[in-house]
Amino acid sequence: MVSCPTVGIIYPDHAAEDDYPFAAELLGVRIPVAHIYGTDLHAVPELLDLGSPEKLAAGAAKLEAESPDVVVWACTSGSFVYGPDGARNQVEQLSASAGGIPASSTSFAFVEALRALGATRVAVAASYPRDVSELFVEFLRVAGIDVVSFTGAGIETAAQVGTLTSGEVLDLAAANDHPDAQVLLVPDTAMHTLRFLRDIETHVGKPVLTANQVTVWEGLRLAGYNLGRPELGTLFEEGVDHDTR
């Protein structure tokens, strides 16, 4: 375990990246953010371009001066859109571009976080159009997760998601939970959630995993760093297994 890891974040465009310095200050770690750019449409061709090896290599190059211990591609849709095998290849290439340090993405972060919580049944409250949301559902199912319900809110761009208020996020979560789900998933790193994650969990009455939350957690997990910080939700409570692969 390192005393103060540096989790490098590659973040698409601009929307809710201020969640990361908030988490860094709360956790007492370094989370530098490098931006890459493309059209922010929640549409498959655009998402495939956004998560391309060339763009992620450019993001890794921007982080080089920060000497990160790990690097995480902070984009759910820009990773699961490749499918499980393609997403695995994506992070392997990212690791190589970053000098061989551990790498992951938000999609894998969701899977690892669910394993840490011991949960296998989830509801998904997604901001994306339905066709994109279905790709996330399939990604989870291949990983052995039972998706008991899901929604695609049909928000077309990440920029629009970034403008959602805490009340709107709470309403999205509550309206799309399911009584059979052990955990509610709220993907999309363009959505602000970290400052009111406990409010979301209280609102729905169960653990909630959000994109920026699991991205930070995954980076710390890969760095071998375990910290209880319940302000960031059930996932960050003491006793949750953060063991690395």
Side-chain angles (χ1 to χ4, degrees):
M1 181 182 292
V2 291
S3 58
C4 181
T6 298
V7 176
I9 296 294
I10 300 176
Y11 190 90
D13 295 285
H14 296 275
E17 66 268 32
D18 55 313
D19 268 4
Y20 292 100
F22 172 78
E25 182 175 359
L26 192 62
L27 293 161
V29 300
R30 297 183 66 241
I31 310 180
V33 178
H35 293 272
I36 60 173
Y37 298 94
T39 183
D40 71 341
L41 280 175
H42 287 147
V44 172
E46 286 78 8
L47 292 169
L48 290 170
D49 176 70
L50 189 62
S52 68
E54 295 78 15
K55 280 191 165 59
L56 295 189
K62 291 181 179 180
L63 287 169
E64 186 175 353
E66 302 286 349
S67 299
D69 299 292
V70 302
V71 61
V72 186
W73 168 220
C75 186
T76 328
S77 55
S79 46
F80 70 67
V81 72
Y82 281 85
D85 292 339
R88 179 63 62 192
N89 184 59
Q90 183 187 58
V91 297
E92 289 173 354
Q93 289 180 298
L94 175 56
S95 174
S97 297
I101 63 174
S104 190
S105 67
T106 305
S107 292
F108 287 118
F110 271 110
V111 173
E112 294 295 340
L114 286 167
R115 287 174 178 163
L117 293 176
T120 58
R121 297 189 316 278
V122 305
V124 174
S127 57
Y128 319 120
R130 186 175 180 86
D131 63 328
V132 175
S133 300
E134 287 173 344
L135 295 176
F136 184 46
V137 170
E138 180 60 21
F139 186 93
L140 295 170
R141 284 180 173 152
V142 171
I145 306 301
D146 180 15
V147 181
V148 297
S149 69
F150 80 97
T151 188
I155 302 176
E156 293 186 351
T157 70
Q160 291 172 284
V161 174
T163 67
L164 294 177
T165 66
S166 59
E168 289 170 328
V169 173
L170 289 169
D171 288 345
L172 175 70
N176 295 287
D177 186 26
H178 191 282
D180 293 337
Q182 297 165 299
V183 177
L184 175 66
L185 308 189
V186 186
D188 201 340
T189 57
M191 187 183 298
H192 293 92
T193 59
L194 294 194
R195 289 172 174 81
F196 51 94
L197 229 160
R198 274 302 193 193
D199 292 337
I200 306 174
E201 290 193 326
T202 299
H203 205 51
V204 300
K206 67 182 59 173
V208 174
L209 297 178
T210 73
N212 289 329
Q213 174 208 36
V214 299
T215 299
V216 171
W217 180 88
E218 174 77 339
L220 296 175
R221 185 186 74 84
L222 289 177
Y225 193 70
N226 191 335
L227 177 68
R229 200 74 205 204
E231 299 96 320
L232 294 176
T234 301
L235 183 63
F236 279 86
E237 288 181 349
E238 296 282 0
V240 174
D241 182 9
H242 292 234
D243 288 346
T244 57
R245 294 184 181 88

